[in-house]
Amino acid sequence: MSEPNVPLLSDLLERAVVPEGATDRRAFLARASALSLAIPAVGAALTACSPRGGGGADSARGGGGASGAQAAGGAASLRHLNSNSRLDTAVLKGEPHGNSSATADATRGASSAVFRRFDPTLPPLPADGRLQLHWHARELPVRISDDTVVAAWTFEGDIPGPIVHCRVGDTVEFTLTNDALVPHSMDFHAAQIDPKAAFRSVTKGQSVTFTFKPKWAGAFMYHCGTAPVLMHIGSGMYGALIVSPREPLPAAKEFVLVQSEFYLEEPQNGIRAFDYSKMLATMPDFVAFNGRPNQYIKEPIRVKRGDRVRFWIVDAGPTHPCHFHVVGEQFDTVYLGAPPATPIRGVQTFTVPAGGGMCFELLCDVAGEFPFVNHGFGHGQKGAIGFLVVEP
Amino acid sequence: MSEPNVPLLSDLLERAVVPEGATDRRAFLARASALSLAIPAVGAALTACSPRGGGGADSARGGGGASGAQAAGGAASLRHLNSNSRLDTAVLKGEPHGNSSATADATRGASSAVFRRFDPTLPPLPADGRLQLHWHARELPVRISDDTVVAAWTFEGDIPGPIVHCRVGDTVEFTLTNDALVPHSMDFHAAQIDPKAAFRSVTKGQSVTFTFKPKWAGAFMYHCGTAPVLMHIGSGMYGALIVSPREPLPAAKEFVLVQSEFYLEEPQNGIRAFDYSKMLATMPDFVAFNGRPNQYIKEPIRVKRGDRVRFWIVDAGPTHPCHFHVVGEQFDTVYLGAPPATPIRGVQTFTVPAGGGMCFELLCDVAGEFPFVNHGFGHGQKGAIGFLVVEP
Amino acid sequence: MSEPNVPLLSDLLERAVVPEGATDRRAFLARASALSLAIPAVGAALTACSPRGGGGADSARGGGGASGAQAAGGAASLRHLNSNSRLDTAVLKGEPHGNSSATADATRGASSAVFRRFDPTLPPLPADGRLQLHWHARELPVRISDDTVVAAWTFEGDIPGPIVHCRVGDTVEFTLTNDALVPHSMDFHAAQIDPKAAFRSVTKGQSVTFTFKPKWAGAFMYHCGTAPVLMHIGSGMYGALIVSPREPLPAAKEFVLVQSEFYLEEPQNGIRAFDYSKMLATMPDFVAFNGRPNQYIKEPIRVKRGDRVRFWIVDAGPTHPCHFHVVGEQFDTVYLGAPPATPIRGVQTFTVPAGGGMCFELLCDVAGEFPFVNHGFGHGQKGAIGFLVVEP
């Protein structure tokens, strides 16, 4: 399962402080990539695993820094997370995407990116209890609204990645191949597995394969776990694996909504890159269900009167919770743990944590047009609003 | 139920992109008003439904924009939510309250606004199972502390609006008459009803009437749902409808606390207007229970030793949750769903989501002075602190 | 239990507005100290209970003010919380730590502060059902990472304070002696007791003693409750009292993690003071488990394959929740109320509120290296990441 030329996290933990005298840049970068989530500050450097990375030593670029919100310019330093600042600046010198998702691949051909509605329908279960997935990490422009194209890091070319569906005990066989210059990885919240091996970062052209059997039902997030994980989630690498219980839940129209935040640079050449400093400052430009702000206002989700509707909500964050609410309705059931266990009844609004998921049900016995929203409106107003139309 | 001269949301959904060539301004404004929650950017324009709205085309005012927190000046644009920026600027041109609650009505007579404690006592149930409410949307100055008067948008002249109380299955007959120049509406979280019709916006002099029977017990928020909903909640239009179960809960002293945030401009002529840019930046000036920061410090809530106390907490937001806690006590019961279902026991602090409500109980068997707080103190310190005095 | 020369909160409530003509500065300060949590603005002044406090009247220092996030300089005023601004400015005039934790004690000897890992192991139960604690409030430098020393306000010299453990119904006999110039106090969330007396502030050399019997099991926060409580929690005065149920929970390896935020000034003489303005602006520089960002990356928590692991999580805040998650695992049990009641099963991520605590269990039947994180990564990335190593 492990790639011979990428050291494992465990190999590197004892070297967490990268030796000051390291002169083999390639070796350092390989190590930095593998360190991944483990050492955030070194992880920040791994975006330098690109041929474009230079070798100078004078310029402090670095990540946004926690004080981004206070700084007018916003470009603070991540050095407080790593005493070895000389290496940080060396690695990031001349690197155009140390703080930004604007890689060459992510920005090429922005004007031809086409807007399309993201289908929120829960896909059917696999017939044979096996979900065989071979996905590619790709960096490319994604149009999230008529006038906004983002420089995205993705699974399979879209934000969010594919919605997938299986049952408790099914077998998920997963392979990730990295088509991008930046190292990426895959972390399934539904998997019980050693992340050191299964969720390790792979570099361009490499693949990682693992297999797991989900043990619990629920709406599980998946995401790239490569460090800094905030940057990789924040740039588009997340999605939902819905795990249904073995005993079917009551018949329902089932939909999946992945809430996420967009922290964007100003447009350059018709495209907006994701901005790590703004992610650290936690003030998003947009918040969306399934990757496009307000998409289900123009093209609502439609059901019939009498339908039971089941929303599987994943909050990909990276930071803010989703206070999920349907205007004009109440949820008759929200499952606190793995469905069908621990239901609560008669709920107006419930919070899905960042990095979590929950299952919400309502009985649509009144026809009408019902906005579904993140009722934390300081952020919800930025695009986390859609329509559920109940036809008579 | 519908007003003849205000189109319904459903009529307008297919015209979500307002035609570029629209020349009938009055028709556009009527449409914008009705679009309300559905199209936030157009909704922002609906504050222009005032005689003072001009017709020029050069000035970009608009809402605060999501990047308000980063921008020094704070006045970013909402245009990213609507490609039709020409209309936005035309509509908002010369409009003094595109980004502010400072309407003529809301600011007139500020110096004579009188401070009064907001009574937190749960009102009695209606005798006959009918709650008949005819409320007025009013814009007027409200004094929230000795030295602060705000330019408020209200239900019935106060922040929060009236606290009301009924039981599951009772009939709530509600009429809203709009006395203000800005369109307003009413969204009861306890109602299962088509919001397109019942929660539609009405303009000055118009009324909307609807009837509903709450299906679940709980602490339900109500609020103005006119777009941008963040602005209307943020400017004071919210309150609580407490729905008791048919089978009475254990005898208790019952109180209602509505937590909300205040985002204010600097004082002008002795009054502070609500500031939409600051709402988007999510950093409140004050956080209060029942509309006045720290009011229950000076004038505590008083009970007797041995009393069971039941707090019905509504978090009106618009953005931040309430981490509710009573210093020196624990809640013996918090109801996760509709009371009396799904109680949890022995809780120090529980989170009420923005746009949600919960029911907390404690047995006051120790005399003393117990602060109740939002234990998220970065915001709680801004006024969400009061005293529960348990007399011997 | 009460100290003769410190008035009780109840004595002072009727004088909540400090008389304009008060000339006895010492009496005012004593009163301000005792007012504590009750009157935040006056409470802010109590940091002036230091010999270094001057007596001038022209300079507005004060706390950060709620608009700190918007203000470039950050030093807004707390005057909106207290109409009596003359006293505020008089008291704070010339006071170096009105807005900062940088007292003389807290900054002396910074360079010799030694970094050490904070042991997360749950301590054993007291043999005889009695927990006898005599703690000291101390201000001193604490090294939280190789390159960062903070000017800390502490219980017993560390951040967090000692982790303590007892069972429901045990007797906790507690004494706090204040060794510091600033008044401090102790608020145990596990105590049902009159906070006016038990949690009152004591000045240098004074002590307060109280006894309580925890009524519910859980992960309970304790903290200094002296006003402004945000400043005292934010400067390091918090910890965890774990209360086990009388009937033992399933055998497990048990750990305690206290998440908290660090809001720091720029370094001066090799030390960073806590900054009240930044606390109000809610954008932390670091977020840590047990007081040191990323400490359990370098020195992980270690268990054996087959172990049940129980995490008792306290979120000390002061502001942000902890979206607790273990990469590569799910919690088979999260207790919503007092353990063992109301378990939920199969949870990827659950939110611990600021000022709250929860109990999370997982069965480690896979060997590997599992990061545990705050999955709200905008803040989690600032240090709330560690490793759980499951040895084969």
Side-chain angles (χ1 to χ4, degrees), chain A residues 343-361:
Chain A
I344 57 172
R345 317 293 309 278
V347 176
Q348 64 192 301
T349 303
F350 211 84
T351 302
V352 183
M358 294 187 81
C359 181
F360 294 74
E361 289 184 13

mmCIF file with all atom_site columns, all heavy atoms in Angstrom, chain A residues 343-361:
data_model
loop_
_atom_site.group_PDB
_atom_site.id
_atom_site.type_symbol
_atom_site.label_atom_id
_atom_site.label_alt_id
_atom_site.label_comp_id
_atom_site.label_asym_id
_atom_site.label_entity_id
_atom_site.label_seq_id
_atom_site.pdbx_PDB_ins_code
_atom_site.Cartn_x
_atom_site.Cartn_y
_atom_site.Cartn_z
_atom_site.occupancy
_atom_site.B_iso_or_equiv
_atom_site.pdbx_formal_charge
_atom_site.auth_seq_id
_atom_site.auth_comp_id
_atom_site.auth_asym_id
_atom_site.auth_atom_id
_atom_site.pdbx_PDB_model_num
ATOM 1   N N   . PRO A 1 343 ? -33.157 9.351  17.796 1.00 0.00 ? 343 PRO A N   1
ATOM 2   C CA  . PRO A 1 343 ? -33.861 10.434 17.113 1.00 0.00 ? 343 PRO A CA  1
ATOM 3   C C   . PRO A 1 343 ? -34.363 11.473 18.112 1.00 0.00 ? 343 PRO A C   1
ATOM 4   O O   . PRO A 1 343 ? -34.713 11.140 19.241 1.00 0.00 ? 343 PRO A O   1
ATOM 5   C CB  . PRO A 1 343 ? -35.045 9.717  16.457 1.00 0.00 ? 343 PRO A CB  1
ATOM 6   C CG  . PRO A 1 343 ? -35.326 8.570  17.383 1.00 0.00 ? 343 PRO A CG  1
ATOM 7   C CD  . PRO A 1 343 ? -33.988 8.145  17.940 1.00 0.00 ? 343 PRO A CD  1
ATOM 8   N N   . ILE A 1 344 ? -34.381 12.721 17.699 1.00 0.00 ? 344 ILE A N   1
ATOM 9   C CA  . ILE A 1 344 ? -35.115 13.740 18.463 1.00 0.00 ? 344 ILE A CA  1
ATOM 10  C C   . ILE A 1 344 ? -36.193 14.297 17.541 1.00 0.00 ? 344 ILE A C   1
ATOM 11  O O   . ILE A 1 344 ? -36.073 14.260 16.318 1.00 0.00 ? 344 ILE A O   1
ATOM 12  C CB  . ILE A 1 344 ? -34.214 14.848 19.036 1.00 0.00 ? 344 ILE A CB  1
ATOM 13  C CG1 . ILE A 1 344 ? -33.413 15.555 17.932 1.00 0.00 ? 344 ILE A CG1 1
ATOM 14  C CG2 . ILE A 1 344 ? -33.265 14.262 20.082 1.00 0.00 ? 344 ILE A CG2 1
ATOM 15  C CD1 . ILE A 1 344 ? -32.671 16.784 18.447 1.00 0.00 ? 344 ILE A CD1 1
ATOM 16  N N   . ARG A 1 345 ? -37.265 14.790 18.140 1.00 0.00 ? 345 ARG A N   1
ATOM 17  C CA  . ARG A 1 345 ? -38.459 15.144 17.383 1.00 0.00 ? 345 ARG A CA  1
ATOM 18  C C   . ARG A 1 345 ? -38.809 16.615 17.527 1.00 0.00 ? 345 ARG A C   1
ATOM 19  O O   . ARG A 1 345 ? -38.604 17.210 18.579 1.00 0.00 ? 345 ARG A O   1
ATOM 20  C CB  . ARG A 1 345 ? -39.669 14.317 17.885 1.00 0.00 ? 345 ARG A CB  1
ATOM 21  C CG  . ARG A 1 345 ? -39.413 12.842 18.155 1.00 0.00 ? 345 ARG A CG  1
ATOM 22  C CD  . ARG A 1 345 ? -39.114 12.041 16.906 1.00 0.00 ? 345 ARG A CD  1
ATOM 23  N NE  . ARG A 1 345 ? -40.110 12.256 15.863 1.00 0.00 ? 345 ARG A NE  1
ATOM 24  C CZ  . ARG A 1 345 ? -41.298 11.634 15.801 1.00 0.00 ? 345 ARG A CZ  1
ATOM 25  N NH1 . ARG A 1 345 ? -41.641 10.771 16.716 1.00 0.00 ? 345 ARG A NH1 1
ATOM 26  N NH2 . ARG A 1 345 ? -42.142 11.889 14.802 1.00 0.00 ? 345 ARG A NH2 1
ATOM 27  N N   . GLY A 1 346 ? -39.377 17.194 16.447 1.00 0.00 ? 346 GLY A N   1
ATOM 28  C CA  . GLY A 1 346 ? -39.941 18.533 16.542 1.00 0.00 ? 346 GLY A CA  1
ATOM 29  C C   . GLY A 1 346 ? -38.897 19.621 16.656 1.00 0.00 ? 346 GLY A C   1
ATOM 30  O O   . GLY A 1 346 ? -38.924 20.439 17.569 1.00 0.00 ? 346 GLY A O   1
ATOM 31  N N   . VAL A 1 347 ? -37.982 19.667 15.708 1.00 0.00 ? 347 VAL A N   1
ATOM 32  C CA  . VAL A 1 347 ? -36.814 20.534 15.805 1.00 0.00 ? 347 VAL A CA  1
ATOM 33  C C   . VAL A 1 347 ? -36.885 21.634 14.745 1.00 0.00 ? 347 VAL A C   1
ATOM 34  O O   . VAL A 1 347 ? -37.084 21.362 13.565 1.00 0.00 ? 347 VAL A O   1
ATOM 35  C CB  . VAL A 1 347 ? -35.528 19.700 15.601 1.00 0.00 ? 347 VAL A CB  1
ATOM 36  C CG1 . VAL A 1 347 ? -34.301 20.582 15.593 1.00 0.00 ? 347 VAL A CG1 1
ATOM 37  C CG2 . VAL A 1 347 ? -35.416 18.616 16.666 1.00 0.00 ? 347 VAL A CG2 1
ATOM 38  N N   . GLN A 1 348 ? -36.724 22.882 15.161 1.00 0.00 ? 348 GLN A N   1
ATOM 39  C CA  . GLN A 1 348 ? -36.723 23.985 14.191 1.00 0.00 ? 348 GLN A CA  1
ATOM 40  C C   . GLN A 1 348 ? -35.364 24.131 13.511 1.00 0.00 ? 348 GLN A C   1
ATOM 41  O O   . GLN A 1 348 ? -35.280 24.374 12.309 1.00 0.00 ? 348 GLN A O   1
ATOM 42  C CB  . GLN A 1 348 ? -37.144 25.299 14.847 1.00 0.00 ? 348 GLN A CB  1
ATOM 43  C CG  . GLN A 1 348 ? -36.199 25.807 15.923 1.00 0.00 ? 348 GLN A CG  1
ATOM 44  C CD  . GLN A 1 348 ? -36.785 26.944 16.761 1.00 0.00 ? 348 GLN A CD  1
ATOM 45  O OE1 . GLN A 1 348 ? -37.150 27.992 16.252 1.00 0.00 ? 348 GLN A OE1 1
ATOM 46  N NE2 . GLN A 1 348 ? -36.862 26.711 18.071 1.00 0.00 ? 348 GLN A NE2 1
ATOM 47  N N   . THR A 1 349 ? -34.300 24.001 14.295 1.00 0.00 ? 349 THR A N   1
ATOM 48  C CA  . THR A 1 349 ? -32.932 24.266 13.818 1.00 0.00 ? 349 THR A CA  1
ATOM 49  C C   . THR A 1 349 ? -31.984 23.388 14.605 1.00 0.00 ? 349 THR A C   1
ATOM 50  O O   . THR A 1 349 ? -32.108 23.277 15.827 1.00 0.00 ? 349 THR A O   1
ATOM 51  C CB  . THR A 1 349 ? -32.557 25.745 14.076 1.00 0.00 ? 349 THR A CB  1
ATOM 52  O OG1 . THR A 1 349 ? -33.507 26.598 13.446 1.00 0.00 ? 349 THR A OG1 1
ATOM 53  C CG2 . THR A 1 349 ? -31.159 26.061 13.548 1.00 0.00 ? 349 THR A CG2 1
ATOM 54  N N   . PHE A 1 350 ? -31.039 22.755 13.927 1.00 0.00 ? 350 PHE A N   1
ATOM 55  C CA  . PHE A 1 350 ? -30.018 21.999 14.646 1.00 0.00 ? 350 PHE A CA  1
ATOM 56  C C   . PHE A 1 350 ? -28.677 22.258 13.993 1.00 0.00 ? 350 PHE A C   1
ATOM 57  O O   . PHE A 1 350 ? -28.581 22.507 12.797 1.00 0.00 ? 350 PHE A O   1
ATOM 58  C CB  . PHE A 1 350 ? -30.332 20.507 14.679 1.00 0.00 ? 350 PHE A CB  1
ATOM 59  C CG  . PHE A 1 350 ? -29.818 19.827 15.924 1.00 0.00 ? 350 PHE A CG  1
ATOM 60  C CD1 . PHE A 1 350 ? -30.567 19.847 17.084 1.00 0.00 ? 350 PHE A CD1 1
ATOM 61  C CD2 . PHE A 1 350 ? -28.579 19.203 15.936 1.00 0.00 ? 350 PHE A CD2 1
ATOM 62  C CE1 . PHE A 1 350 ? -30.097 19.248 18.256 1.00 0.00 ? 350 PHE A CE1 1
ATOM 63  C CE2 . PHE A 1 350 ? -28.095 18.601 17.093 1.00 0.00 ? 350 PHE A CE2 1
ATOM 64  C CZ  . PHE A 1 350 ? -28.860 18.619 18.255 1.00 0.00 ? 350 PHE A CZ  1
ATOM 65  N N   . THR A 1 351 ? -27.627 22.191 14.825 1.00 0.00 ? 351 THR A N   1
ATOM 66  C CA  . THR A 1 351 ? -26.293 22.559 14.373 1.00 0.00 ? 351 THR A CA  1
ATOM 67  C C   . THR A 1 351 ? -25.504 21.348 13.905 1.00 0.00 ? 351 THR A C   1
ATOM 68  O O   . THR A 1 351 ? -25.341 20.388 14.649 1.00 0.00 ? 351 THR A O   1
ATOM 69  C CB  . THR A 1 351 ? -25.525 23.248 15.513 1.00 0.00 ? 351 THR A CB  1
ATOM 70  O OG1 . THR A 1 351 ? -26.264 24.399 15.929 1.00 0.00 ? 351 THR A OG1 1
ATOM 71  C CG2 . THR A 1 351 ? -24.140 23.673 15.060 1.00 0.00 ? 351 THR A CG2 1
ATOM 72  N N   . VAL A 1 352 ? -24.993 21.412 12.691 1.00 0.00 ? 352 VAL A N   1
ATOM 73  C CA  . VAL A 1 352 ? -24.053 20.413 12.185 1.00 0.00 ? 352 VAL A CA  1
ATOM 74  C C   . VAL A 1 352 ? -22.657 20.996 12.359 1.00 0.00 ? 352 VAL A C   1
ATOM 75  O O   . VAL A 1 352 ? -22.369 22.086 11.846 1.00 0.00 ? 352 VAL A O   1
ATOM 76  C CB  . VAL A 1 352 ? -24.322 20.104 10.705 1.00 0.00 ? 352 VAL A CB  1
ATOM 77  C CG1 . VAL A 1 352 ? -23.378 19.009 10.201 1.00 0.00 ? 352 VAL A CG1 1
ATOM 78  C CG2 . VAL A 1 352 ? -25.771 19.706 10.492 1.00 0.00 ? 352 VAL A CG2 1
ATOM 79  N N   . PRO A 1 353 ? -21.778 20.274 13.090 1.00 0.00 ? 353 PRO A N   1
ATOM 80  C CA  . PRO A 1 353 ? -20.445 20.850 13.323 1.00 0.00 ? 353 PRO A CA  1
ATOM 81  C C   . PRO A 1 353 ? -19.573 20.821 12.072 1.00 0.00 ? 353 PRO A C   1
ATOM 82  O O   . PRO A 1 353 ? -19.769 19.978 11.196 1.00 0.00 ? 353 PRO A O   1
ATOM 83  C CB  . PRO A 1 353 ? -19.844 19.934 14.394 1.00 0.00 ? 353 PRO A CB  1
ATOM 84  C CG  . PRO A 1 353 ? -20.590 18.661 14.327 1.00 0.00 ? 353 PRO A CG  1
ATOM 85  C CD  . PRO A 1 353 ? -21.952 18.971 13.747 1.00 0.00 ? 353 PRO A CD  1
ATOM 86  N N   . ALA A 1 354 ? -18.626 21.708 12.006 1.00 0.00 ? 354 ALA A N   1
ATOM 87  C CA  . ALA A 1 354 ? -17.604 21.641 10.970 1.00 0.00 ? 354 ALA A CA  1
ATOM 88  C C   . ALA A 1 354 ? -16.898 20.299 11.085 1.00 0.00 ? 354 ALA A C   1
ATOM 89  O O   . ALA A 1 354 ? -16.453 19.916 12.166 1.00 0.00 ? 354 ALA A O   1
ATOM 90  C CB  . ALA A 1 354 ? -16.603 22.780 11.153 1.00 0.00 ? 354 ALA A CB  1
ATOM 91  N N   . GLY A 1 355 ? -16.839 19.582 9.972  1.00 0.00 ? 355 GLY A N   1
ATOM 92  C CA  . GLY A 1 355 ? -16.233 18.261 9.992  1.00 0.00 ? 355 GLY A CA  1
ATOM 93  C C   . GLY A 1 355 ? -17.187 17.170 10.407 1.00 0.00 ? 355 GLY A C   1
ATOM 94  O O   . GLY A 1 355 ? -16.771 16.035 10.633 1.00 0.00 ? 355 GLY A O   1
ATOM 95  N N   . GLY A 1 356 ? -18.475 17.489 10.491 1.00 0.00 ? 356 GLY A N   1
ATOM 96  C CA  . GLY A 1 356 ? -19.470 16.509 10.905 1.00 0.00 ? 356 GLY A CA  1
ATOM 97  C C   . GLY A 1 356 ? -20.598 16.378 9.910  1.00 0.00 ? 356 GLY A C   1
ATOM 98  O O   . GLY A 1 356 ? -20.606 17.033 8.857  1.00 0.00 ? 356 GLY A O   1
ATOM 99  N N   . GLY A 1 357 ? -21.558 15.524 10.250 1.00 0.00 ? 357 GLY A N   1
ATOM 100 C CA  . GLY A 1 357 ? -22.719 15.324 9.400  1.00 0.00 ? 357 GLY A CA  1
ATOM 101 C C   . GLY A 1 357 ? -23.896 14.856 10.220 1.00 0.00 ? 357 GLY A C   1
ATOM 102 O O   . GLY A 1 357 ? -23.708 14.253 11.277 1.00 0.00 ? 357 GLY A O   1
ATOM 103 N N   . MET A 1 358 ? -25.099 15.169 9.744  1.00 0.00 ? 358 MET A N   1
ATOM 104 C CA  . MET A 1 358 ? -26.293 14.732 10.445 1.00 0.00 ? 358 MET A CA  1
ATOM 105 C C   . MET A 1 358 ? -27.403 14.458 9.446  1.00 0.00 ? 358 MET A C   1
ATOM 106 O O   . MET A 1 358 ? -27.350 14.891 8.292  1.00 0.00 ? 358 MET A O   1
ATOM 107 C CB  . MET A 1 358 ? -26.758 15.780 11.453 1.00 0.00 ? 358 MET A CB  1
ATOM 108 C CG  . MET A 1 358 ? -25.770 15.970 12.582 1.00 0.00 ? 358 MET A CG  1
ATOM 109 S SD  . MET A 1 358 ? -26.387 17.053 13.878 1.00 0.00 ? 358 MET A SD  1
ATOM 110 C CE  . MET A 1 358 ? -27.403 15.885 14.765 1.00 0.00 ? 358 MET A CE  1
ATOM 111 N N   . CYS A 1 359 ? -28.436 13.788 9.935  1.00 0.00 ? 359 CYS A N   1
ATOM 112 C CA  . CYS A 1 359 ? -29.557 13.375 9.094  1.00 0.00 ? 359 CYS A CA  1
ATOM 113 C C   . CYS A 1 359 ? -30.831 14.022 9.622  1.00 0.00 ? 359 CYS A C   1
ATOM 114 O O   . CYS A 1 359 ? -31.155 13.862 10.802 1.00 0.00 ? 359 CYS A O   1
ATOM 115 C CB  . CYS A 1 359 ? -29.632 11.849 9.133  1.00 0.00 ? 359 CYS A CB  1
ATOM 116 S SG  . CYS A 1 359 ? -30.930 11.166 8.122  1.00 0.00 ? 359 CYS A SG  1
ATOM 117 N N   . PHE A 1 360 ? -31.512 14.758 8.742  1.00 0.00 ? 360 PHE A N   1
ATOM 118 C CA  . PHE A 1 360 ? -32.710 15.522 9.096  1.00 0.00 ? 360 PHE A CA  1
ATOM 119 C C   . PHE A 1 360 ? -33.890 15.018 8.255  1.00 0.00 ? 360 PHE A C   1
ATOM 120 O O   . PHE A 1 360 ? -33.760 14.903 7.036  1.00 0.00 ? 360 PHE A O   1
ATOM 121 C CB  . PHE A 1 360 ? -32.523 17.007 8.755  1.00 0.00 ? 360 PHE A CB  1
ATOM 122 C CG  . PHE A 1 360 ? -31.478 17.733 9.543  1.00 0.00 ? 360 PHE A CG  1
ATOM 123 C CD1 . PHE A 1 360 ? -30.122 17.529 9.297  1.00 0.00 ? 360 PHE A CD1 1
ATOM 124 C CD2 . PHE A 1 360 ? -31.833 18.671 10.508 1.00 0.00 ? 360 PHE A CD2 1
ATOM 125 C CE1 . PHE A 1 360 ? -29.146 18.230 10.011 1.00 0.00 ? 360 PHE A CE1 1
ATOM 126 C CE2 . PHE A 1 360 ? -30.868 19.380 11.225 1.00 0.00 ? 360 PHE A CE2 1
ATOM 127 C CZ  . PHE A 1 360 ? -29.526 19.153 10.979 1.00 0.00 ? 360 PHE A CZ  1
ATOM 128 N N   . GLU A 1 361 ? -35.043 14.802 8.886  1.00 0.00 ? 361 GLU A N   1
ATOM 129 C CA  . GLU A 1 361 ? -36.227 14.373 8.135  1.00 0.00 ? 361 GLU A CA  1
ATOM 130 C C   . GLU A 1 361 ? -37.410 15.297 8.387  1.00 0.00 ? 361 GLU A C   1
ATOM 131 O O   . GLU A 1 361 ? -37.615 15.760 9.506  1.00 0.00 ? 361 GLU A O   1
ATOM 132 C CB  . GLU A 1 361 ? -36.641 12.961 8.560  1.00 0.00 ? 361 GLU A CB  1
ATOM 133 C CG  . GLU A 1 361 ? -35.693 11.887 8.098  1.00 0.00 ? 361 GLU A CG  1
ATOM 134 C CD  . GLU A 1 361 ? -36.177 10.491 8.455  1.00 0.00 ? 361 GLU A CD  1
ATOM 135 O OE1 . GLU A 1 361 ? -37.358 10.350 8.834  1.00 0.00 ? 361 GLU A OE1 1
ATOM 136 O OE2 . GLU A 1 361 ? -35.375 9.554  8.372  1.00 0.00 ? 361 GLU A OE2 1
#
